[in-house]
Amino acid sequence: VPEDFGRRLPYMMRMVSNALSLQLERALRQFSLTHAQLAALAHLGLESPGALSGAELGHRAGVTAQSMSAAIASLLERGLVVRAPHPTHGRRLDVQITASGLELLDRAQAATKAVEVRALAPLSPDQHRELRAILRQMMIAMDVYLPDSADVR
Amino acid sequence: VPEDFGRRLPYMMRMVSNALSLQLERALRQFSLTHAQLAALAHLGLESPGALSGAELGHRAGVTAQSMSAAIASLLERGLVVRAPHPTHGRRLDVQITASGLELLDRAQAATKAVEVRALAPLSPDQHRELRAILRQMMIAMDVYLPDSADVR
DNA sequence: TAAGATTGAAGACTCAATCTTC
DNA sequence: GAAGATTGAGTCTTCAATCTTA
């Protein structure tokens, strides 16, 4: 008899994350934003008026540089970000969020916040904290981007 | 200043789940299995020698019935499952795992188990339990399939 | 009417490969 | 050689719509 699949953590994590992602995606649809695009805008918003490279944005959004390249192309077309050659590095392109990008980011964050609040409602404040701590540990172990984790990039 | 995106739970959950899914996907590639296909085999394995409908398999795998329909077609071609009309319902098709399906399932589970163990290594036994309890609560709240949750289907 | 299975269209993602710059 | 940006191919997925059966 095979092991009980439905109780394994990767399966449970996937089911929850998928369901949540789907809800967020539907909320984001009114703004024509994908997850990767929202993540890019959000990280650029925190950096504003600074800039980030496409590779770094991909890393922070958890997608490949190729995916992020396509995402940025769409943001550029809509004037939500602008791009300029890096002052010293030749091939590198600095991406920066615009005023209208910041404005859209604000509205999109509000829409996703509503989904988040609803999804986390069944958890106690202690569970919130515990879940955050666990995910944080896993992010570090998996070498995934984490804000202020002594990021020296 | 926009809220800190990188510390919001949906983002953290997505980053971890994505990274984990990608690792699992790579481990599954040697068996030519997708997540949905493995989930289908696993749930059918637990039900064996019983059968499940495509719709039910989709629900349990967390994908749409359309996605599961394509996944099943591939499993059928490879002889990992068989299908027969439901005894009483006319349109319904019962899917059942074969001996070679069970054999492949066993090997695939072993491969994914290694990934799982590595990913969860940084967590303490208490954290394992806590994470499982939290995900379980969220699955119930999000109306996602959960084994032995008084499932009357 | 409702539920299950399926087909077609569109989108986002990874992988592989290429080009450019240091 | 290494890093960043990009293009092309292939795959999995959702959404929308259709067909069938109770």
Side-chain angles (χ1 to χ4, degrees), chain B residues 11-151:
Chain B
Y11 169 77
M12 297 176 75
M13 181 94 88
R14 190 181 165 74
M15 290 293 275
V16 169
S17 177
N18 267 2
L20 189 51
S21 283
L22 204 54
Q23 288 181 27
L24 291 171
E25 200 177 300
R26 286 195 263 249
L28 251 23
R29 198 162 300 159
Q30 59 186 308
F31 305 109
S32 295
L33 287 176
T34 65
H35 287 289
Q37 287 169 347
L38 174 63
L41 288 182
H43 285 290
L44 288 174
L46 290 172
E47 216 71 22
S48 184
L52 293 170
S53 71
E56 176 62 18
L57 284 171
H59 178 60
R60 296 195 184 191
V63 299
T64 60
Q66 298 97 309
S67 282
M68 187 47 75
S69 181
I72 291 173
S74 165
L75 296 177
L76 275 171
E77 264 180 20
R78 289 185 275 167
L80 302 173
V81 301
V82 289
R83 207 159 56 165
H86 189 280
T88 65
H89 287 61
R91 184 65 176 155
R92 189 162 173 171
L93 293 172
D94 270 347
V95 181
Q96 198 178 4
I97 194 167
T98 63
S100 95
L102 281 170
E103 192 267 336
L104 183 65
L105 171 59
D106 229 41
R107 290 192 291 135
Q109 295 267 50
T112 59
K113 188 68 184 175
V115 174
E116 172 178 350
V117 167
R118 189 154 22 92
L120 296 178
L123 302 182
S124 71
D126 268 357
Q127 285 179 316
H128 276 220
R129 270 189 293 280
E130 187 64 30
L131 178 55
R132 195 181 302 275
I134 289 171
L135 291 176
R136 187 182 166 80
Q137 251 179 277
M138 293 184 77
M139 286 170 84
I140 292 170
M142 298 181 111
D143 199 32
V144 140
Y145 174 79
L146 184 65
D148 74 31
S149 69
D151 192 60

Side-chain angles (χ1 to χ4, degrees), chain A residues 5 7-8 11 14 16-17 21 35 42-43 60 109 112-113 116 122 127 130 132 137 139 148, chain B residues 5 7-8 11 14 16-17 21 35 42-43 60 109 112-113 116 122 127 130 132 137 139 148:
Chain A
F5 188 71
R7 283 189 194 78
R8 285 175 65 177
Y11 169 78
R14 191 180 165 75
V16 170
S17 177
S21 282
H35 287 289
H43 285 290
R60 296 195 185 190
Q109 296 265 50
T112 59
K113 187 69 184 174
E116 172 178 350
Q127 285 179 316
E130 189 63 30
R132 196 182 300 275
Q137 253 178 277
M139 286 170 83
D148 75 29
Chain B
F5 187 72
R7 284 189 194 78
R8 285 175 66 176
Y11 169 77
R14 190 181 165 74
V16 169
S17 177
S21 283
H35 287 289
H43 285 290
R60 296 195 184 191
Q109 295 267 50
T112 59
K113 188 68 184 175
E116 172 178 350
Q127 285 179 316
E130 187 64 30
R132 195 181 302 275
Q137 251 179 277
M139 286 170 84
D148 74 31

